[in-house]
Amino acid sequence: MSASMASTEPKVRRSFLSVPDLTHADLERLLTLAAEMKADRGLGRGAPTADALGGQHVALLFEKPSLRTRCTFEVAIHELGGHTVHLPAQFSEAVREPLEDVARNLERWIAALVIRTYRQETAVACSAAAPRLRVINALSDEHHPCQALADVLTLREHWGTFRGRTLAYVGDGNNVATSLAQAATMMGVTVHIATPAGYELPRGVTKALTGLTRDGAELRLFTNPREAVAGAHAVYTDVWTSMGQEREAVKRRGIFADYRVDRTLMAAASPGALFMHCLPAHRGEEVTAEVLESRASVVFDQAENRLHTQKALLAMLLGAP
Ligand code: CP
């Protein structure tokens, strides 16, 4: 077990449904452990955390498509000495039995449920019904907290420190934007969010963020993307049409057209600014191929760090205290 795992700091709360389920100390500890695990990965079964899950079982239930999240959780669980159980998405539809009963069954056999769901309430209900079950939100319509963990690790790797840094998010005020704003401001990064009117972060999220910020970090909201990226040290965007919104795609392409991240927008940011995207990306839509493939782009670092941060999360939720 690594030095971070042996820490006497309190363990993470039982479930991880959104970023604020972690304290600032939890998040600091998670980033440290993820960096250790990333460095140790080449040791394989000889890594100090190779048996952190001790043969525990983790169920995966995905209502929506996934490449990165599904693969990285599967690999993470395997590399920590755990086992995966794949559940058909139909179990969250509560046709055969109530969702709460599904969760109450699961907690008798498995340690954690990784769930990608449309409704945040589905993950919340599983956690509430089954107190022994660790529920990990692998994306809902409201939050994408596991993505945000990888994003802040990527920022720390490239920046070294968060203090005095500004991140600009340009596009839809969606689940990715919510979790990113929460994690980044919690680490002391000032966050600028530029969205069209009607596509802002939910009001409840912006109100609650004032209680999360540290080290003088601020959340500032814009409608003009050029104003938002001015002086920013990283520019982040996401798809304009998220999973489940496909019928709005044509309308959204019109509404978001001025929010495309291209060479001109990147030039308005601080020299050396990073480009970030959670992927999958739509080249020519929310970002040009030129920017996505540029030296500024760290999108595959973000994708890699999904693995290391989720390993750290699993070890903190399920490993020895
Ligand atoms: N970024 C992300 O969550 O990717 P997937 O949808 O492929 O899991």
Side-chain angles (χ1 to χ4, degrees), residues 142 169 171-182 191-196 198-207 209 219-222:
E142 293 174 36
Y169 176 95
D172 189 14
N174 62 11
N175 48 5
V176 170
T178 291
S179 295
L180 177 70
Q182 290 172 332
V191 175
H192 294 177
I193 307 261
T195 66
Y199 294 85
E200 298 92 348
L201 285 182
R203 192 179 297 274
V205 171
T206 53
K207 272 183 77 176
L209 267 175
L219 173 72
R220 297 182 63 201
L221 305 177
F222 299 80

Side-chain angles (χ1 to χ4, degrees), residues 9-81:
E9 290 174 52
K11 286 184 76 174
V12 180
R13 275 188 237 167
R14 192 177 53 81
S15 286
F16 181 56
L17 304 178
S18 64
V19 169
D21 284 340
L22 299 180
T23 63
H24 174 260
D26 292 332
L27 189 47
E28 285 276 12
R29 183 171 161 232
L30 187 147
L31 294 180
T32 301
L33 181 57
E36 287 175 10
M37 288 177 155
K38 186 170 185 174
D40 280 355
R41 190 159 185 242
L43 299 174
R45 300 308 303 164
T49 48
D51 196 36
L53 297 192
Q56 294 179 87
H57 299 277
V58 179
L60 304 173
L61 192 162
F62 281 65
E63 294 176 5
K64 303 184 186 189
S66 171
L67 170 66
R68 282 148 290 273
T69 310
R70 183 187 284 277
C71 283
T72 51
F73 266 112
E74 284 220 40
V75 172
I77 293 159
H78 178 76
E79 290 188 0
L80 295 172

Side-chain angles (χ1 to χ4, degrees), residues 65-70 116 144 147 243 278-280 306:
S66 171
L67 170 66
R68 282 148 290 273
T69 310
R70 183 187 284 277
R116 170 165 287 197
H144 198 357
Q147 179 67 50
M243 290 178 278
C278 56
L279 301 179
R306 296 294 304 274

Side-chain angles (χ1 to χ4, degrees), residues 4-5 23 39 45 65 74 88 116 130-131 139 173 177 183 185 198 208 210 239 243 245 259 290 301 314:
S4 295
M5 288 297 294
T23 63
R45 300 308 303 164
E74 284 220 40
R116 170 165 287 197
L139 181 147
T185 54
T210 51
V239 294
M243 290 178 278
Q245 298 171 333
Y259 292 78
E290 180 185 25
D301 294 343
L314 286 162

